[in-house]
Amino acid sequence: MTTEANTKIKLNKVEKVKAAKDGLDVKNELEYFAKIGWEAVDKADLETRLKWLGIFYRPVTPGEFMVRMRVPNGVITSEQMKVLAGGIERYGDNGTADITTRQNIQLRGVRLEDIPELFNRFKEVGLTSIQSGMDNVRNLTGSPVAGIDPDELIDTRQMNQKVQDMITNNGEGNYAFTNLPRKFNIAIEGARDNSIHAELNDLAYVPAYKDGVLGFNVLVGGYLSAQRCAESIPLGVWLPANDDDIVEFSRAVLTVYTQNGAAEGLRASRPKARMMWLIETWGVEKFRNELEKEFGKPLASAAEKDEITQDKKDHLGIHPQKQEGYSYVGLHVPMGRLNAESMFELARLAEVYGNGEIRLTVEQNAIIPYIANENVDTFLTEPLLEKFAIDPSTLTRSVISCTGAQYCNFAIIETKQTALKLAQELDAELDIPQRVRLHWTGCPNSCGQPQAGDIGLMGTKVRKDGKAVAGAKIYSGGKVGHGAELGTAINQGVALDDLKTTLRSLLIEKFNAKLKDGVTIEE
Ligand code: SRM
Ligand code: SF4
């Protein structure tokens, strides 16, 4: 465990909160908090430390908490889904859930007094929400079709689970990694389509052959934030595709980042605390050397090229699996928003038609795998598919969004409903011959990754008729999959009221969209 917080080095506000008491310590106080009620809980415990347990106080809905799970590799069982659905069912319309941009689930409307019992149920089915917020490692991402994708190179499910188990001490909480200088994102890709946005992660493993052996090239330092967005860079390391090496190397990276944070100034300034800042302070060579020492054995140099050769898939619709006779079906979950009823239904469909498994995607959608080919037609007649279509129209299909003002106090605009409505309206007006990924985010923190979208929209305020009104800054040029790169801002702000006109023009000029027959636009 690091003792850095006790040194004389300048600490930012959050570091002081952590130095006074580790976030994970509230684990032992949860029962007590539930008994005394949220209003009586110490402010730093309520607003900051509870996030170490995945419990987020929401100033927008005081008393109704968000619980952020961990769903490594996006794989969740029907049994687990039912526990999550049961966890929010009692709150009526206030009990909802979201699939996140890290193929994870967040529950909403949860009362603090119910959480100890909810956590017991999580444990019974192997779920945990531990260390999912603040200065911890976020959900570990992997291809949502790991183990079933005919083009797959490496099945990453077990690796991601083992790395999570190492980081969280099998879900019990691990003080070795609860005091990182900042949040940390890890992704392990085993497919060819970079389904996990390797370029956006602090640590990403991408498949690569070295001397004919399949393993991973390592990328480091990617992140998005309000102050700076950095694409990950090659570390110059290749690792074989075995669980032990990936677990140990991930441990080494987290240890070096955690234990050198204070000495290198990472604990002084929050905006300069992500791992890229350490890499830049030291230079890649020193960073790599320090990792090698911590890893305890020589690191092989990177393979010349990686195996990310495809465009990023969205996994919607019916697809043959590598297991003969089976298909997976990707369902479009508009804006990732679920309620208890739809979660129970997803679980039921997975049990009746599949192998009891559901996969989540970073596009905030769900996949039901292992549907016997002869049952696919019947599956398609299920009522849930009217709500969660397999082939929605072009923009609606590819629009994702962060939480926005409905629940997030950082938000400058409402996102999910605005994004969906606009996509549907533009779909009704335009024939768009190509996929256009729309990424919405409510503020510059960039949880909805606008820099990764073909078009990105970021909440902002703009002046219109002398008044400050809700608007969006527009990004363009984001590329994902093979040759991924970040897009840049092309417009500093358009009022939401005027956005449809602006986007329509952009779609016509840059994405070959045409007005549908019979549609005329009044300017
Ligand atoms: Fe995020 C903070 C939601 C993915 C960058 N993010 C927040 C908070 C926790 C702020 C808060 O306390 O209210 C948001 C919670 C709102 C809520 O009620 O849901 C929040 N982030 C989300 C989610 C739910 C967006 C979504 O609707 O899908 C995503 C949860 C992922 C998960 O399952 O863990 C989410 N956030 C991201 C991503 C995307 C990614 O990982 O690919 C990013 C950019 C990538 C990155 O982190 O480098 C992202 N979130 C941030 C940042 C900026 C980080 C920074 O270094 O400055 C913040 C603010 C912060 O950490 O201080 C933030
Ligand atoms: Fe909240 Fe901003 Fe993240 Fe959206 S981008 S969830 S508004 S912090």
Side-chain angles (χ1 to χ4, degrees):
M1 194 197 322
T2 177
T3 54
E4 284 186 348
N6 301 325
T7 65
K8 289 270 180 291
I9 291 166
K10 191 173 163 238
L11 298 179
N12 63 51
K13 227 165 88 190
V14 176
E15 290 298 335
K16 286 181 184 153
V17 170
K18 295 191 291 179
K21 177 167 127 187
D22 192 286
L24 191 59
D25 287 352
V26 293
K27 192 178 175 212
N28 300 325
E29 295 170 276
L30 186 60
E31 297 264 359
Y32 171 67
F33 293 164
K35 214 150 77 201
I36 62 174
W38 68 270
E39 293 96 332
V41 176
D42 165 79
K43 193 172 151 63
D45 288 340
L46 179 74
E47 294 179 4
T48 308
R49 294 194 192 93
L50 275 175
K51 291 181 183 170
W52 267 254
L53 307 185
I55 303 170
F56 288 61
Y57 172 74
R58 300 290 72 200
V60 181
T61 57
E64 294 176 8
F65 289 77
M66 182 266 275
V67 177
R68 179 184 282 167
M69 306 307 301
R70 304 193 73 97
V71 182
N73 219 117
V75 183
I76 185 161
T77 66
S78 59
E79 196 189 24
Q80 292 172 332
M81 187 62 97
K82 283 190 273 187
V83 164
L84 297 179
I88 54 168
E89 192 179 24
R90 68 183 69 181
Y91 308 119
D93 287 348
N94 293 353
T96 59
D98 287 320
I99 304 174
T100 75
T101 51
R102 294 198 70 79
Q103 63 181 174
N104 190 9
I105 288 200
Q106 296 186 163
L107 306 181
R108 299 195 182 276
V110 184
R111 301 268 169 192
L112 192 55
E113 57 270 29
D114 299 333
I115 293 184
E117 171 54 25
L118 183 63
F119 278 15
N120 288 338
R121 274 182 281 142
F122 286 173
K123 210 167 172 180
E124 282 164 16
V125 295
L127 276 173
T128 182
S129 61
I130 203 133
Q131 291 170 236
S132 60
M134 287 302 287
D135 298 349
N136 286 290
V137 180
R138 297 290 183 273
N139 194 45
L140 282 113
T141 55
S143 167
V145 288
I148 58 176
D149 171 10
D151 292 335
E152 173 170 84
L153 293 163
I154 304 164
D155 180 351
T156 55
R157 287 173 295 172
Q158 186 171 296
M159 264 171 210
N160 267 320
Q161 182 66 55
K162 285 188 173 173
V163 176
Q164 171 171 305
D165 290 345
M166 175 273 289
I167 292 165
T168 65
N169 180 27
N170 301 311
E172 292 301 312
N174 181 359
Y175 281 105
F177 300 123
T178 54
N179 187 15
L180 305 181
R182 202 68 167 82
K183 71 183 291 195
F184 199 93
N185 291 324
I186 302 181
I188 310 179
E189 177 65 84
R192 291 184 179 276
D193 75 331
N194 188 13
S195 62
I196 44 73
H197 295 302
E199 65 285 2
L200 304 184
N201 283 267
D202 297 271
L203 171 60
Y205 300 91
V206 294
Y209 284 101
K210 181 151 184 166
D211 304 329
V213 181
L214 188 53
F216 297 101
N217 274 352
V218 181
L219 302 174
V220 286
Y223 81 103
L224 304 176
S225 80
Q227 296 79 17
R228 175 183 176 189
C229 297
E231 269 171 27
S232 60
I233 56 170
L235 178 65
V237 166
W238 176 90
L239 290 162
N242 72 61
D243 297 354
D244 289 350
D245 276 310
I246 299 305
V247 170
E248 280 315 305
F249 189 75
S250 304
R251 186 202 301 275
V253 174
L254 291 170
T255 304
V256 166
Y257 175 52
T258 300
Q259 296 196 345
N260 293 284
E264 300 302 350
L266 268 50
R267 294 182 189 274
S269 162
R270 294 288 284 172
K272 296 184 175 175
R274 296 292 291 266
M275 195 170 73
M276 183 56 111
W277 293 85
L278 178 64
I279 300 168
E280 286 175 344
T281 304
W282 280 355
V284 178
E285 201 184 326
K286 174 170 176 189
F287 182 65
R288 190 184 186 283
N289 289 342
E290 293 298 317
L291 292 179
E292 195 164 48
K293 271 192 250 160
E294 187 61 42
F295 187 53
K297 50 182 185 175
L299 289 168
S301 59
E304 249 170 58
K305 63 177 186 68
D306 64 39
E307 295 300 319
I308 302 291
T309 52
Q310 298 178 347
D311 283 342
K312 191 170 189 308
K313 297 174 184 160
D314 71 6
H315 303 106
L316 295 183
I318 307 161
H319 303 269
Q321 289 187 197
K322 76 167 151 202
Q323 292 80 8
E324 210 175 313
Y326 291 95
S327 296
Y328 67 84
V329 180
L331 308 184
H332 177 251
V333 180
M335 312 322 295
R337 178 59 50 84
L338 300 166
N339 59 20
E341 195 189 343
S342 54
M343 289 157 83
F344 280 126
E345 253 321 86
L346 277 174
R348 186 186 70 79
L349 296 186
E351 283 170 3
V352 171
Y353 294 92
N355 66 343
E357 214 176 71
I358 300 147
R359 307 287 182 93
L360 308 176
T361 76
V362 298
E363 284 82 21
Q364 305 175 315
N365 293 319
I367 295 168
I368 310 273
Y370 281 100
I371 304 183
N373 288 342
E374 62 271 23
N375 295 335
V376 169
D377 284 346
T378 322
F379 175 80
L380 297 181
T381 64
E382 286 285 348
L384 188 68
L385 274 76
E386 284 164 29
K387 196 172 162 196
F388 296 167
I390 64 161
D391 192 15
S393 47
T394 313
L395 295 177
T396 307
R397 175 181 186 117
S398 298
V399 58
I400 69 153
S401 166
C402 82
T403 305
Q406 188 183 4
Y407 299 111
C408 180
N409 57 307
F410 288 104
I412 301 168
I413 60 168
E414 194 290 316
T415 49
K416 287 195 184 259
Q417 293 319 312
T418 310
L420 185 60
K421 185 165 172 280
L422 212 54
Q424 288 169 339
E425 287 177 4
L426 287 165
D427 270 335
E429 290 178 0
L430 297 170
D431 280 324
I432 310 167
Q434 64 194 85
R435 182 174 167 200
V436 183
R437 297 167 305 97
L438 298 176
H439 278 231
W440 280 74
T441 212
C443 82
N445 281 330
S446 299
C447 304
Q449 311 141 329
Q451 305 81 355
D454 291 312
I455 300 177
L457 290 313
M458 179 188 285
T460 188
K461 284 272 184 240
V462 297
R463 288 205 81 74
K464 188 179 174 188
D465 304 329
K467 279 195 243 143
V469 298
K473 185 168 168 176
I474 305 178
Y475 284 75
S476 182
K479 192 165 174 341
V480 292
H482 172 65
E485 52 187 65
L486 301 184
T488 49
I490 56 164
N491 183 319
Q492 291 306 313
V494 175
L496 291 187
D497 286 348
D498 302 330
L499 194 57
K500 189 157 123 187
T501 308
T502 309
L503 288 183
R504 188 193 299 119
S505 304
L506 190 60
L507 288 162
I508 291 172
E509 282 160 26
K510 295 262 168 60
F511 297 91
N512 304 315
K514 293 205 165 43
L515 285 181
K516 284 196 160 126
D517 285 348
V519 173
T520 47
I521 304 298
E522 284 175 32
E523 293 300 337

